[in-house]
Amino acid sequence: MSGDSDCTKTSPSVGSPSDNEFLPDRPRYVCMLSPDLVAKAREELQEKPEWRLRDVQALRDMVCKDYPTLGTCLDDAFLLRFLRARKFDYDRALQLLVNYHTCRRSWPEVFTNLKPSAIKAVLESGFVTVLPHLDPEGRHIVCIRPDRWIPSHYPITENIRAIYLTLEKLIQSEETQVNGIVILADYKGVSLSKASHFGPFVAKKVIGILQDGFPIRIKAVNIINEPRIFKGIFAIIKPFLKEKIANRFFLHGSDLNSLHQNIPQMILPEEYGGTSGKLDISAWNELLLASEEDLLHDFSQLVLPGNSLPCETLVSGDADEKQCDESLRGMKPQLYYCY
């Protein structure tokens, strides 16, 4: 992702057949999708190749008109991420883009100095990794293992930084933009003291990012080995998840057969009853660390945390946000009850 985020440049009219010819300093978009994925994007995301650049230009014009100081990258490929994530609904794609920046600027503990080398300890712990094989739908499996985190070594925000960088790397792929991802979270060994670090502030921030602040399609969240305490957490958080997202959570407990109905054994490591060998975190760690220069170049197109940005709400309204605050405030007592 590269290019000028300056909205003062003259843009061609929406629907112009030669949009990019007027912007020689902005990389020309070249579709890397296979014919099958082009067809899938058309069917599932309402993406029409013949209108693609027109749609991108429409979103670009909306950014320049409504948020001229947003400080965002305006490249075709970057804006396409947001259009695909919101099925080419211009208004929803624009709100997602604004939310994306709002999230980055409102949580400096996570987004300041955000780069792979800064979260090397998290990667080496195995807290988050990506399995080497795609599922039958062409989706990456993001594996999260909270038991690998030792709170005395670094704060929970470092884990969130690692997950965010993982998503940033994955979403660079057009295939992932179309197919989405699957999350596999193993809560084996998560204690009450460790779970208490996931308090109201962190919970609401993470929900805001994953649900409304990042251009990725989360197609399923598979939870395994969850202790009783997790059911208490989920019961509190679920009302604030969109119904579509909430319905994509699958709690398997220790039943690996149940997990295998969602994720085939052939792509799972032995630790989860699979046949693809031992879980190896080294390949993903090396890939992410090797992507540092590329990711930093991407981030250089965005305004750093602390810069001005219109205040936007990531939930449906002030009443919902107040309700979320009040309900999450009761999380700790309920955690003790569930434990």
Side-chain angles (χ1 to χ4, degrees):
M1 164 181 52
S2 63
D4 202 330
S5 61
D6 185 0
C7 286
T8 62
K9 288 192 173 186
T10 302
S11 298
S13 61
V14 175
S16 169
S18 56
D19 289 345
N20 287 352
E21 293 177 8
F22 294 89
L23 302 166
D25 59 333
R26 184 169 289 130
R28 178 183 294 274
Y29 170 75
V30 177
C31 182
M32 303 300 292
L33 296 174
S34 68
D36 286 344
L37 283 181
V38 168
K40 182 176 183 178
R42 181 187 290 271
E43 179 180 354
E44 295 186 8
L45 307 182
Q46 317 308 316
E47 177 176 346
K48 298 176 176 60
E50 63 272 22
W51 293 354
R52 187 187 286 126
L53 292 183
R54 182 208 67 171
D55 294 337
V56 169
Q57 186 60 43
L59 179 57
R60 184 183 292 120
D61 288 344
M62 291 173 71
V63 173
C64 291
K65 177 183 177 182
D66 299 337
Y67 298 95
T69 61
L70 185 61
T72 188
C73 176
L74 293 175
D75 289 353
D76 295 346
F78 181 71
L79 295 179
L80 262 176
R81 300 177 185 182
F82 297 86
L83 285 165
R84 285 169 172 156
R86 291 298 180 260
K87 298 186 177 181
F88 281 76
D89 181 313
Y90 296 167
D91 292 328
R92 294 176 64 227
L94 176 63
Q95 188 60 60
L96 178 61
L97 177 61
V98 171
N99 287 350
Y100 173 83
H101 285 279
T102 301
C103 289
R104 293 182 63 90
R105 297 168 197 181
S106 65
W107 204 358
E109 295 87 351
V110 169
F111 293 102
T112 300
N113 192 36
L114 184 63
K115 56 184 180 181
S117 62
I119 50 95
K120 192 173 181 180
V122 183
L123 296 177
E124 291 176 346
S125 76
F127 174 86
V128 60
T129 191
V130 177
L131 301 187
H133 303 294
L134 303 176
D135 76 357
E137 300 297 322
R139 304 174 300 204
H140 283 286
I141 311 295
V142 178
C143 182
I144 300 172
R145 298 183 292 169
D147 71 304
R148 313 295 291 188
W149 173 47
I150 302 176
S152 61
H153 287 185
Y154 48 79
I156 191 171
T157 48
E158 292 300 292
N159 295 327
I160 297 166
R161 283 156 61 83
I163 293 173
Y164 193 91
L165 282 171
T166 294
L167 297 182
E168 283 282 6
K169 178 59 183 175
L170 290 175
I171 205 59
Q172 289 179 342
S173 162
E174 288 198 272
E175 289 78 8
T176 297
Q177 293 169 29
V178 174
N179 292 326
I181 64 169
V182 170
I183 294 175
L184 170 60
D186 180 2
Y187 278 83
K188 181 179 180 180
V190 174
S191 63
L192 173 62
S193 61
K194 185 174 289 188
S196 67
H197 290 268
F198 192 71
F201 176 83
V202 173
K204 192 166 71 170
K205 286 283 192 179
V206 171
I207 291 172
I209 291 173
L210 295 180
Q211 186 166 254
D212 294 304
F214 196 87
I216 200 162
R217 306 175 71 207
I218 300 176
K219 305 300 291 182
V221 180
N222 292 277
I223 310 294
I224 61 171
N225 297 320
E226 69 275 12
R228 291 173 59 194
I229 190 174
F230 180 83
K231 295 180 180 178
I233 297 174
F234 188 67
I236 296 168
I237 293 176
K238 187 175 181 180
F240 309 106
L241 294 172
K242 294 178 180 178
E243 183 179 3
K244 181 172 68 174
I245 296 295
N247 290 338
R248 292 176 179 175
F249 274 74
F250 301 94
L251 277 58
H252 302 287
S254 59
D255 186 353
L256 292 181
N257 289 327
S258 175
L259 173 65
H260 298 159
Q261 292 177 17
N262 287 27
I263 305 178
Q265 287 179 270
M266 63 182 180
I267 67 170
L268 285 170
E270 294 176 7
E271 288 85 345
Y272 303 122
T275 59
S276 67
K278 294 285 186 180
L279 178 60
D280 180 14
I281 66 173
S282 61
W284 176 254
N285 289 355
E286 291 172 6
L287 177 62
L288 190 58
L289 289 168
S291 302
E292 178 153 331
E293 184 176 344
D294 187 32
L295 287 168
L296 287 178
H297 181 267
D298 285 2
F299 297 158
S300 72
Q301 309 302 312
L302 310 175
V303 177
L304 295 174
N307 291 70
S308 62
L309 181 70
C311 181
E312 296 291 334
T313 302
L314 296 184
V315 291
S316 57
D318 292 338
D320 286 346
E321 185 170 358
K322 182 178 180 181
Q323 181 186 12
C324 181
D325 284 336
E326 292 175 350
S327 294
L328 288 173
R329 196 173 293 120
M331 177 182 291
K332 193 168 184 178
Q334 291 195 43
L335 293 184
Y336 278 99
Y337 175 79
C338 293
Y339 193 73

